[in-house]
Amino acid sequence: MNILNVMMQPEVFLVWTSLAKSIGLLAVILGLVSYTVYAERKICAWIQDRVGPNRTGIPFTGIRIQGLGQPIADALKLLLKENFIPAEVNKFYYYIAPKLSMVPAILVLAVLPFGSSLFGIPMVIADVNIGVLYVFAVSSLGVYGIVLAGWASNSKYPFLGGIRSSSQMISYELALGLSVIPVFMVCGTLSLPEIVLWQRENGWMVFPIWAKGLTWDLILSGDIGAIAQTFTAGFSLQRILLWVPMIISFVIFLIAMFAETNRAPFDLPEAEQELVGGYHTEYSGMGFALFFLGEYAAMIAGSGVIVTLFLGGWSFPLIPDGSLPGIPGVLAGLVNIGVFFAKIIALLVLFIWVRWTVPRFRYDQLMKLGWYVFFELALVNIFIAAFVLAYIK
């Protein structure tokens, strides 16, 4: 009983619940990273009319389970491979570069609200009132791992990849930051949980029509007239006008996130046809694996930020109050967590689909798109949002 009393002390309670949420979220993310690689290989095979991984399954049983054991086999292979370090590299920076590429993406997850609450505990590890600024500050550190890898490898291809990554990051980071300012103007806060709550009450940023007052009870009642009335109540000229700057922000943020994570069609830093492998050319074993884990972790973190800012976070589609009739609170909290990760998975499929269907930009095209199109468009969009808000109010 004394131990229980100590654990329920506010400071101790905060520590162990934050630790439990961190471990649980990290386990889910690492599993999602592994099977995103599997999904990429299967979707790539489907697009190219191939089979993809379909043999690796449960060892010693002959059960293939559609190759779902492939990520485990890949992880074991990379763990057992020799970590060869070329003689001429700067060993300290060469060694820490893959870690610097992986860690920022994981740290971004700390402020993302991945659910409503569970057992009365908010499903966010660190509820800070400047969560968006934290996201941009931490995510921008990921480029240092790539630049250090390119410089420390003491090889021309990695060096060119590192230089490309730094200039690409600068060109898109500005548009990325400016594109979310209209979201802050509308919600009036930099807190990610509060932005999700605003969308829960007023509708997702990317939906011009919102079913105001729609609940599961109303849906299950089958009253078509009452259901239609909720959509009519959520439809207004103000909502349509507000949707215009929000959809522009969403498009800019989504495309900039492709460049931020070095994904095709903006994968210039590693461009295999030009730079062999770019910044990770001289890496092998787990150093090589950490770069790819960092890339997929950054995809997941970036998708989480997109979901939080524009797609309603953990809120269920078209149900503003999130009511789940007949479902206990704990199960409803689990459903909200599932909704959040389902949205992330949908965005990951989009990332993968774009990679295998859109050709890579030339470097000059990428720079022009960042500086001459998205930067100016993001600035103009801030003024559009300001005029819309002034008109509404």
Side-chain angles (χ1 to χ4, degrees):
M1 184 61 68
N2 290 333
I3 295 176
L4 183 60
N5 289 337
V6 170
M7 291 184 66
M8 296 307 293
Q9 293 293 322
E11 296 81 3
V12 179
F13 182 80
L14 178 62
V15 170
W16 73 261
T17 53
S18 298
L19 185 61
K21 287 186 287 187
S22 301
I23 294 173
L25 182 61
L26 188 59
V28 171
I29 294 301
L30 291 179
L32 193 56
V33 165
S34 298
Y35 280 91
T36 301
V37 178
Y38 170 82
E40 174 137 30
R41 296 173 72 175
K42 292 295 283 188
I43 294 172
C44 163
W46 173 69
I47 290 173
Q48 298 176 350
D49 198 20
R50 297 185 289 107
V51 176
N54 69 332
R55 294 181 178 273
T56 309
I58 302 175
F60 311 115
T61 64
I63 301 175
R64 295 181 177 180
I65 54 174
Q66 295 298 314
L68 286 171
Q70 191 65 49
I72 301 172
D74 290 340
L76 290 173
K77 178 193 73 172
L78 289 167
L79 282 169
L80 296 173
K81 284 180 72 72
E82 178 185 3
N83 188 20
F84 177 78
I85 301 178
E88 301 301 321
V89 303
N90 186 313
K91 292 187 179 180
F92 175 73
Y93 295 111
Y94 179 91
Y95 179 77
I96 66 171
K99 288 76 176 175
L100 287 177
S101 180
M102 176 76 176
V103 170
I106 299 296
L107 292 178
V108 167
L109 301 170
V111 297
L112 295 184
F114 55 91
S116 53
S117 64
L118 208 58
F119 302 105
I121 302 171
M123 288 295 99
V124 57
I125 296 172
D127 185 3
V128 295
N129 58 4
I130 53 168
V132 179
L133 297 182
Y134 171 88
V135 167
F136 285 118
V138 172
S139 61
S140 63
L141 298 177
V143 72
Y144 288 103
I146 296 175
V147 172
L148 281 178
W151 176 78
S153 294
N154 198 24
S155 176
K156 60 182 179 181
Y157 290 130
F159 181 73
L160 288 172
I163 294 298
R164 283 185 173 190
S165 181
S166 59
S167 57
Q168 176 174 311
M169 185 273 292
I170 293 170
S171 65
Y172 276 90
E173 196 77 32
L174 291 171
L176 194 71
L178 291 172
S179 66
V180 298
I181 291 178
V183 176
F184 310 151
M185 295 166 65
V186 171
C187 298
T189 179
L190 295 175
S191 171
L192 292 175
E194 291 181 14
I195 291 174
V196 173
L197 291 176
W198 188 95
Q199 294 179 82
R200 180 184 174 187
E201 298 298 327
N202 300 281
W204 298 359
M205 294 296 178
V206 294
F207 282 174
I209 302 174
W210 191 247
K212 194 172 183 62
L214 184 64
T215 64
W216 281 108
D217 292 324
L218 185 58
I219 293 174
L220 296 175
S221 70
D223 189 343
I224 304 300
I227 293 173
Q229 189 175 359
T230 64
F231 283 93
T232 303
F235 181 83
S236 64
L237 177 61
Q238 290 86 351
R239 182 70 186 165
I240 295 294
L241 290 175
L242 194 61
W243 178 74
V244 173
M246 291 300 105
I247 198 64
I248 294 174
S249 291
F250 173 71
V251 171
I252 294 174
F253 195 92
L254 179 63
I255 296 175
M257 193 55 69
F258 277 91
E260 183 81 3
T261 55
N262 295 318
R263 295 283 298 181
F266 307 113
D267 57 339
L268 274 301
E270 58 185 77
E272 291 88 351
Q273 295 87 344
E274 305 167 24
L275 304 181
V276 183
Y279 57 89
H280 57 70
T281 300
E282 303 295 342
Y283 281 86
S284 60
M286 281 308 295
F288 177 80
L290 283 175
F291 277 118
F292 280 89
L293 290 176
E295 178 182 321
Y296 284 95
M299 283 172 55
I300 293 170
S303 298
V305 175
I306 294 171
V307 167
T308 302
L309 292 177
F310 298 101
L311 301 178
W314 47 261
S315 63
F316 204 88
L318 299 179
I319 310 295
D321 66 355
S323 61
L324 298 170
I327 298 179
V330 174
L331 187 55
L334 291 174
V335 169
N336 286 329
I337 295 173
V339 167
F340 179 78
F341 282 103
K343 294 175 184 178
I344 286 181
I345 291 171
L347 284 173
L348 290 175
V349 172
L350 175 64
F351 271 81
I352 295 169
W353 174 71
V354 168
R355 175 182 177 181
W356 296 103
T357 54
V358 180
R360 181 186 301 124
F361 280 87
R362 289 200 320 264
Y363 196 71
D364 61 314
Q365 292 174 329
L366 183 145
M367 289 292 108
K368 288 178 180 178
L369 191 63
W371 287 109
Y372 294 162
V373 179
F374 284 156
F375 179 62
E376 286 82 353
L377 183 59
L379 282 175
V380 172
N381 192 46
I382 294 173
F383 287 98
I384 294 175
F387 288 134
V388 170
L389 288 172
Y391 172 75
I392 292 174
K393 294 179 179 179

